[in-house]
Amino acid sequence: MSETLLEVRDLVKHFPVGGGVLSKKTGIVRAVDGVSFDLHRGETLGLVGESGCGKTTTGRCILQLERPTSGTIRFQGEELTTLPPTAMRKLRRHMQVIFQDPYSSLNPRMTIGQIIEEPLKVHAIVTEAPARAERARDLLTQVGLLPQHAKRYPHQLSGGQRQRVGIARALAMEPALIVCDEPVSALDVSIQAQIVNLLEDLQGRFGLTYLFIAHDLSVVRHISDRVVVMYLGKVVEIADRTSLYEAPLHPYTRALLSAVPIPDPKLEARREHIVLRGEVPSPLNPPSGCVFHPRCPVAIARCAAEVPALREITPGHCAACHLA
Ligand code: SF4
């Protein structure tokens, strides 16, 4: 097992609702509720779940874009939650993010070259302007674009090309960790595969570590070494890719996987589809016991009363279910 790059323990992020200056706090949204996992150097960890499960908030807490309510986040041996702002600014260059919508994250008034050069200038990584421009052109070719794209503006590029620029900007910082937050979900399916392949290729070339946040289980399967499944702010299952996809232990993971289409029509017609009843409950008022119990097809009486602990069922394969 390689070195642990990131260690998240009992991470909690609650958002008060109501509130404001004049009104009283009316409740708490439990967006992330006790999440723990490790990320090893050089691996890709998929973080999956439906919209609202807390995966993006978990990513934002790791990047310190949100202040966690409690819990610890150790990155390269440093505890981020207590790090002074100046030390955090220095460390930030080693943690980069690729967003879902590259268009809204690229300044429309700057050329692509300026966008990629900006962090190099701000963090004084390359101090001379001609060398910065050269580095930007080099980064563009690393992500499959042309040096002349440096002179264009974001609106002159396609969605896939803009996402390549977002990747080049992240790479400019020579980061140890890249948080990829739904990096392909806004792109056409044909372009999605190209971007995922590019991310894999860059990982091989530069030894990158990815936290890959996505709701699409087929994309996560393609790129991840291990996968964390979240439901309503909690981790319900962690396993390596093969164990998770071939022998899922948690009823929620089984239901998610049963909804992923198989390309073979004969196999697709024969397999069982698990339809979950109802909607995901509100994180403002999560169910008692196992938060999945109102929708779980195999729930027993104990499930409504007792929170299942995340337990290691087989080596490296953990699930939070009384029946696992
Ligand atoms: Fe279903 Fe109970 Fe397991 Fe929760 S603990 S997933 S409700 S069987």
Side-chain angles (χ1 to χ4, degrees):
M1 183 71 67
S2 60
E3 170 202 349
T4 300
L5 179 71
L6 176 77
E7 185 188 284
V8 178
R9 289 289 175 273
D10 302 319
L11 182 68
V12 172
K13 179 63 188 176
H14 291 170
F15 294 100
V17 287
V21 181
L22 299 175
S23 57
K24 274 199 241 151
K25 190 167 83 178
T26 55
I28 288 173
V29 172
R30 296 167 192 277
V32 179
D33 214 9
V35 163
S36 300
F37 59 83
D38 289 342
L39 177 52
H40 306 114
R41 203 178 279 277
E43 83 167 338
T44 298
L45 183 69
L47 190 56
V48 297
E50 292 163 288
S51 154
C53 71
K55 56 191 190 301
T56 290
T57 307
T58 300
R60 289 180 60 81
C61 286
I62 290 166
L63 292 161
Q64 297 291 293
L65 300 173
E66 297 282 358
R67 201 137 193 87
T69 306
S70 62
T72 59
I73 302 166
R74 284 185 82 75
F75 173 68
Q76 297 189 146
E78 301 252 31
E79 177 50 52
L80 302 187
T81 53
T82 52
L83 210 60
T86 40
M88 189 60 221
R89 268 197 294 278
K90 276 194 194 143
L91 203 67
R92 196 175 286 281
R93 74 166 271 203
H94 301 295
M95 308 167 82
Q96 292 296 301
V97 60
I98 300 168
F99 294 103
Q100 174 179 357
D101 179 2
Y103 198 50
S104 64
S105 65
L106 303 179
N107 187 335
R109 284 183 292 276
M110 289 167 81
T111 64
I112 300 304
Q114 288 168 332
I115 288 170
I116 298 172
E117 286 177 47
E118 192 187 33
L120 296 172
K121 189 176 175 183
V122 170
H123 290 267
I125 295 168
V126 185
T127 48
E128 301 294 322
R132 266 201 308 274
E134 181 56 36
R135 177 90 177 107
R137 287 193 291 272
D138 175 49
L139 284 161
L140 284 171
T141 57
Q142 298 278 7
V143 299
L145 293 171
L146 299 169
Q148 45 270 43
H149 280 114
K151 292 197 173 68
R152 307 242 181 108
Y153 286 87
H155 74 272
Q156 295 174 306
L157 303 186
S158 68
Q161 288 174 324
R162 285 196 290 260
Q163 194 53 294
R164 287 175 192 267
V165 173
I167 295 168
R169 186 177 53 179
L171 274 186
M173 306 295 280
E174 298 173 1
L177 169 67
I178 300 184
V179 175
C180 308
D181 189 3
E182 300 268 10
V184 297
S185 51
L187 303 173
D188 290 349
V189 175
S190 57
I191 309 294
Q192 287 187 358
Q194 292 174 15
I195 297 295
V196 168
N197 289 342
L198 172 66
L199 288 170
E200 282 186 318
D201 177 40
L202 293 170
Q203 183 171 44
R205 270 193 273 157
F206 300 114
L208 299 167
T209 305
Y210 296 135
L211 179 64
F212 194 94
I213 300 171
H215 68 277
D216 182 336
L217 276 99
S218 11
V219 173
V220 170
R221 179 178 200 161
H222 187 87
I223 197 166
S224 304
D225 298 301
R226 289 186 305 130
V227 181
V228 175
V229 182
M230 286 185 70
Y231 182 79
L232 217 57
K234 292 182 184 295
V235 171
V236 298
E237 187 157 3
I238 303 181
D240 65 73
R241 169 179 50 186
T242 308
S243 307
L244 190 103
Y245 282 82
E246 289 179 7
L249 293 172
H250 197 281
Y252 177 61
T253 313
R254 282 192 212 127
L256 280 184
L257 288 174
S258 84
V260 177
I262 296 177
D264 182 336
K266 279 191 197 146
L267 273 180
E268 178 65 30
R270 267 191 280 132
R271 82 193 179 115
E272 184 199 7
H273 287 273
I274 305 167
V275 180
L276 294 177
R277 40 178 199 252
E279 297 293 314
V280 180
S282 165
L284 197 56
N285 187 20
S288 61
C290 172
V291 287
F292 186 55
H293 87 260
R295 304 177 76 203
C296 181
V298 293
I300 54 174
R302 183 182 172 200
C303 302
E306 205 180 308
V307 178
L310 186 68
R311 291 176 298 125
E312 189 167 36
I313 312 294
T314 57
H317 193 156
C318 305
C321 173
H322 295 310
L323 302 184

